[in-house]
Amino acid sequence: KLVKDKDAPVMDYGCGTGLSGVALDEAGFSHIDGADLSQKMLDIARGTKVYEKLDLIEPDAELDRDLGQYGLIVAVGVISKGAAPPSLYNDMLNVMAPGAILAFSMNDLSLAEDEYTALVPASVDDGKVKLLHEEYGPHLTKYGDNSKSKVFVVQKR
């Protein structure tokens, strides 16, 4: 609801098996690309038939500057303890174009860690982003557990 142009390219960063890509497709987004660290996950995501392009990410490689072409980057469960380090948040902001939106979630494990919870407030205070939306609720997984997560939507200034 915060993104008006559903025809603009979207990057599902850390797309995994494609659950978030399917949700983006169901929300009306028509040009979805994905990237993940696991070829096996990408192969499963390809089966959803919602992605135009899927790229394998090298674990220790610098963040691809091509991310700057996306007006919306979604990183569901990526910037989280046990997944990517908190530094990924600022790395993503550094390659994003002004006005681009980053929507991401942090699970309860991450929300218990200061290094993760300080990310958004620090970037707002520094004038790097505008916080568009924040919401705490169920952490949707294919396992159906009762964990929760917080979704953040920020716009780069």
Side-chain angles (χ1 to χ4, degrees), residues 28-92:
F29 290 94
S30 56
H31 299 287
I32 307 165
D33 293 339
D36 200 87
L37 292 170
S38 165
Q39 185 61 53
K40 184 177 179 181
M41 295 287 203
L42 290 172
D43 292 342
I44 296 169
R46 187 169 283 106
T48 67
K49 301 193 184 323
V50 300
Y51 295 98
E52 291 183 2
K53 182 174 85 168
L54 287 165
D55 292 321
L56 182 65
I57 304 167
E58 295 299 324
D60 294 323
E62 270 189 42
L63 205 57
D64 191 341
R65 295 276 174 201
D66 286 346
L67 281 178
Q69 73 181 330
Y70 295 95
L72 173 61
I73 299 173
V74 175
V76 179
V78 175
I79 305 169
S80 292
K81 188 173 181 173
S87 60
L88 178 62
Y89 174 74
N90 285 313
D91 292 346
M92 292 181 100

Side-chain angles (χ1 to χ4, degrees), residues 12 15 17-29 32 44-45 47-51:
D12 183 4
C15 65
T17 61
L19 291 175
S20 50
V22 170
L24 288 164
D25 181 66
E26 289 173 356
F29 290 94
I32 307 165
I44 296 169
T48 67
K49 301 193 184 323
V50 300
Y51 295 98

Side-chain angles (χ1 to χ4, degrees), residues 2 24 67 89 94 123 134 146 151 157:
L2 298 171
L24 288 164
L67 281 178
Y89 174 74
N94 288 338
S123 64
E134 180 178 335
N146 292 323
V151 173
R157 292 189 183 264

Side-chain angles (χ1 to χ4, degrees), residues 21 48 52 95-96 130-131 156:
T48 67
E52 291 183 2
V95 298
M96 291 170 58
K130 176 182 177 184
L131 179 62
K156 184 172 176 182

